[in-house]
Amino acid sequence: MAFRRRNKSYPFFSQEFLIQNHADIVLTLVIFILIALMFEATAKTAILFIQPQYNVTTLSPEGEVTVYHYGWKDGATVLFYLCIVIILHAVVQEYLLDKVNRRLHLSKSKNTKFNESGQLCVFHLVSSVWSLYILLTEGYLLHPSSLWENYPHIHLRFQVKFFYLTQLAYWLHALPELYFQKVRKEEIPRQLQYIGLYLLHIAAAYLLNLSRVGLVLLFLQYLSELGFHIARLFYFTDENHQKMFDLWAVSFVFTRMATLTLMFLAVGFGLARSENQGLDWDSGNFNTVLIRMTVLLLVCLTQSWLLWKFIRFQLRRWREFRHEQALRKKTAAKQPLRPLKRDSLGHHENGVLKAENGASPRTKKLKSP
């Protein structure tokens, strides 16, 4: 199964061969792991990559429930789903984005941004719907106090743990994709910034047993980013679509305010008033003043940095708009109305001399010498 059109063949083990066929190579690795499930000698090892580990059966009013906690074996599961995400990335690029790009005829820089927004638009849509479904089924939205009550939340349902593992897999896969997609050197620092921030916040919520608060924050963030990338996709198709950026600006500011409010409510007040205080690695309790202040400081610095970038972006758009308006006024002032040329016999109209009464004047006959 080939994901890319083969316009030119490259020698094996070369850089271009790896870039052109990376999805096929990863797909082969995934098939080998799936085949390993068929043999008893390798099934136990293969299951580490496919199924989330550290499951525990507990009793609840609903009966026996299987819950999970985290451990070092989660790294194998993240690695396997990282390969799955690379394959899905290639499928979306080949069968959706490349077909749209061939119709739009964008420049190279716009083409790169269009592909980036297209990939992130699909991911943010799936992740926002998925996180909203988890929040509704787990009852976190109807009972906000459950976000910090009974901390530490060391036991996770299958859908919660699988969500976090796939989130880590996606943002880790974005690192090799910078190489596979041949991203320009000027764009790499910007993309590394938001990839690193996502990995840091998701890993902190997962490892510090703040998974419930992290779910709400990820839902808000992904919903806001979905609006931005949809607006940018529409802008690349038609540059007159500017109003969607204004709608995104409102949602962006709301997301920043909601994120800070929720973090101060859950971590600053909820966990601070909890009776279960102290640091205990075995029970997964990280409810100390130092850790709470570190988490709040990290979130506040991140939100402040995002707001600062947002204000710079809006100011740049405002300056460009004012500059365009000034240029339009100057060009309009430099083009006065041309007066009609008149002479004693009449005036010119479409290159023909007309008399004052509208009739063409008679031409004088030249006398022969």
Side-chain angles (χ1 to χ4, degrees), residues 152-198:
H153 308 134
I154 189 172
H155 291 146
L156 307 175
R157 297 291 183 96
F158 173 81
Q159 59 180 356
V160 178
K161 177 166 183 175
F162 190 64
F163 176 81
Y164 272 96
L165 294 180
T166 53
Q167 294 297 309
L168 292 172
Y170 181 86
W171 291 111
L172 285 173
H173 114 280
L175 295 174
E177 284 294 340
L178 296 176
Y179 171 74
F180 295 143
Q181 298 297 325
K182 295 182 179 180
V183 179
R184 295 185 304 170
K185 292 182 179 180
E186 297 81 7
E187 292 289 327
I188 290 178
R190 178 185 64 84
Q191 296 195 25
L192 285 177
Q193 284 178 354
Y194 71 77
I195 291 172
L197 285 175
Y198 273 114

Side-chain angles (χ1 to χ4, degrees), residues 12 19 31-33 45-46 92 115 118 122 145-146 217 256 285 333 359:
F12 287 99
I19 293 175
I31 292 174
F32 278 140
I33 296 176
T45 304
V92 173
N115 291 333
V122 174
S145 60
S146 62
L217 297 183
R256 305 285 78 78
N285 185 14

Side-chain angles (χ1 to χ4, degrees), residues 300-334:
C300 290
L301 289 177
T302 303
Q303 301 305 311
S304 301
W305 180 70
L306 291 174
L307 279 173
W308 177 67
K309 289 188 64 178
F310 171 77
I311 293 172
R312 288 184 59 190
F313 173 74
Q314 295 297 328
L315 289 176
R316 186 171 67 250
R317 283 187 62 201
W318 180 75
R319 291 194 196 100
E320 291 175 355
F321 177 76
R322 292 294 299 271
H323 182 66
E324 291 178 359
Q325 293 289 346
L327 287 178
R328 290 177 182 176
K329 291 181 179 179
K330 287 181 180 179
T331 54
K334 289 181 180 180

